[in-house]
Amino acid sequence: MGIPTGVPRGLTDIPARPRGAAAVRRTRAVCGALGAALLLATAQGCGDGPSGAGAGGGDRFPAVETSGFTYRIPQPLAPAPGGTPIAVRDRGPDAAFAGARRWTVLHHSADSRGADIPVSATLLVPDGPPPDGGRPVVAWAHGTTGVADACAPSHAADLGDPAYVREIRAFLEAGYAVAATDYPGLGTPGMHSYLVGADEGNAVVDSVLAARRIVPGLAATWFAAGHSQGGQAALFAARAAGRAPGLRFGGAVAVAPASHLDAMLPGVISSHEPSQLTFALYSLAGLATADRSVDLPGLLGPAAARTADRVFGECLKDRHPSLAGVTTEQALPFGPSRLAALGRTMAGYGNPDRAAIAAPVLIVQGGDDQDVPARWTAQVAGNLRALGSPAVTERTYPGSGHDDVLGRSVCDVLAFLAGHGGRPAGRCAPSGASPAA
């Protein structure tokens, strides 16, 4: 996909995700080809230098700066409400996204413990005058890209995947603004809290608040939409919509949402497919950010920890050469009781179907998805209904896989948004011909 590979952030850094200004000062970053570690106690270092805020909304805020692929966080970082911009870069019109104006944004958010943390995001606003009442906002939540800062979608021209360009262009062409979070620790100091639902959901909501600070006049209506990891994030964002008081949350779209975290590790081990280890290792990294008692190197053992350390420096599309010759049993050396305990913990913070969602929900699934089984997603929908969610709609696309379901479902997604306070869907042509069931 053209996302460059970052320098690995070591396993010893995983528990040290930044939690407020004092913790950010303790976080280590890796700069440039030299790979020399330095403390982010100052805004100096081997970075790319000032990026410039540009004209328009960004010129009211400090400029975004980077050290390697890690966005620099001002020191000290004074606490602020979620969505408060920290720094902004105005990148101007982006041809890949139909000429929409693109910003890179750093803003405040909160983790699952309520600690103030920095998060990065991309903001896209269509060219031309806004409609009466302003543009509604779609908060886009991306699928898995990796856990290294180099894998943050805001660094990529296509935000992580060509399929996302097509999906987001459809939103922009329909008249929506799009706020696309990177999630905590992906692009910002500290380990990415992979599949930690509260962290992701807060970041999704707060990206909308940041967008409204940068582009005044956006409509009060907003939606959460996402794919895979992002589908899970969109459902958690629906539960966290109260972080944006005074705004109207129209609903959530979850495409092939990640779920059943309790089954992930046993499933990867029994698959005997080393290629599946990336998701398991990323999940263990997320576990270590959510549970400070977890010592990941000690949990994995020396050999598996060395493998994980290399994997954490590679993006998902890099084919993970570090996994060559590694078996699933070697990488995940856990007995049945340990697996069960880890699964319960992961499910507790990451399964998206453990609480009702009051707002409308559209769940989209490909019938031939090999990454997120269709039966799992059907169970998520059923569980949400059983918990009292009043408006859960399912759309399954026979013959579609994990990624192509995005193109095949786009017209149904736009119709869902239009039906819940969004922009008129207008003419729409889906990619592929398989009808929804």
Side-chain angles (χ1 to χ4, degrees):
M1 295 195 317
I3 302 177
T5 301
V7 181
R9 180 188 286 119
L11 284 176
T12 55
D13 293 326
I14 289 175
R17 220 182 95 224
R19 305 180 190 280
V24 172
R25 287 193 292 271
R26 294 193 298 270
T27 304
R28 297 180 65 193
V30 180
C31 291
L34 296 177
L38 60 109
L39 291 176
L40 289 179
T42 70
Q44 305 301 314
C46 53
D48 296 334
S51 57
D59 62 3
R60 293 179 288 116
F61 305 101
V64 169
E65 300 180 9
T66 58
S67 291
F69 290 106
T70 304
Y71 293 112
R72 290 180 180 171
I73 306 303
Q75 297 301 317
L77 179 64
T84 302
I86 299 169
V88 178
R89 177 179 180 180
D90 184 350
R91 296 179 174 272
D94 191 323
F97 291 97
R101 190 170 176 181
R102 179 171 176 168
W103 288 265
T104 300
V105 181
L106 298 179
H107 65 82
H108 289 263
S109 189
D111 66 11
S112 58
R113 298 178 183 85
D116 183 59
I117 58 173
V119 178
S120 51
T122 299
L123 172 61
L124 291 156
V125 178
D127 187 28
D132 291 341
R135 301 187 186 279
V137 180
V138 173
W140 172 253
H142 65 86
T144 304
T145 58
V147 297
D149 287 340
C151 313
S154 61
H155 289 313
D158 61 4
L159 292 185
D161 197 293
Y164 295 166
V165 175
R166 294 188 290 272
E167 186 83 356
I168 292 171
R169 278 184 67 118
F171 297 142
L172 295 168
E173 290 168 355
Y176 297 91
V178 175
T181 183
D182 286 337
Y183 308 132
L186 191 55
T188 48
M191 176 55 73
H192 170 34
S193 49
Y194 183 68
L195 294 182
V196 179
D199 287 32
E200 295 172 349
N202 290 348
V204 171
V205 179
D206 293 339
S207 71
V208 177
L209 295 172
R212 292 175 59 81
R213 298 284 189 93
I214 295 165
V215 182
L218 295 176
T221 298
W222 71 280
F223 301 87
H227 174 238
S228 195
Q229 177 188 5
Q232 176 223 26
L235 295 175
F236 274 94
R239 288 160 50 178
R243 293 179 63 80
L247 301 187
R248 178 185 177 275
F249 180 57
V253 177
V255 183
S259 65
H260 291 69
L261 268 63
D262 44 320
M264 177 179 292
L265 297 179
V268 169
I269 293 172
S270 63
S271 74
H272 304 295
E273 290 289 341
S275 62
Q276 296 298 313
L277 282 168
T278 53
F279 299 101
L281 293 173
Y282 293 166
S283 298
L284 289 170
L287 168 69
T289 69
D291 185 345
R292 294 177 180 175
S293 69
V294 172
D295 170 28
L296 191 50
L299 181 68
L300 291 172
R306 286 193 294 271
T307 296
D309 202 35
R310 293 190 296 268
V311 167
F312 293 158
E314 301 164 351
C315 298
L316 188 65
K317 297 295 185 180
D318 294 332
R319 300 184 181 274
H320 288 279
S322 298
L323 294 174
V326 177
T327 69
T328 56
E329 290 85 356
Q330 290 170 334
L332 303 173
F334 309 130
S337 61
R338 177 58 64 87
L339 279 175
L342 292 172
R344 286 192 297 271
T345 302
M346 291 181 178
Y349 66 67
N351 280 4
D353 53 355
R354 293 200 161 192
I357 296 175
V361 175
L362 172 64
I363 296 179
V364 172
Q365 179 66 38
D368 283 354
D369 193 326
Q370 301 301 306
D371 295 310
V372 176
R375 68 182 184 280
W376 284 10
T377 301
Q379 289 170 2
V380 169
N383 290 341
L384 289 175
R385 292 192 187 100
L387 288 166
S389 304
V392 178
T393 303
E394 294 177 78
R395 292 286 185 270
T396 301
Y397 295 78
S400 288
H402 190 64
D403 295 326
D404 66 344
V405 72
L406 281 165
R408 292 185 172 182
S409 65
V410 65
C411 296
D412 286 336
V413 169
L414 290 174
F416 172 84
L417 301 183
H420 294 92
R423 297 282 301 151
R427 298 180 63 182
C428 182
S431 302
S434 296

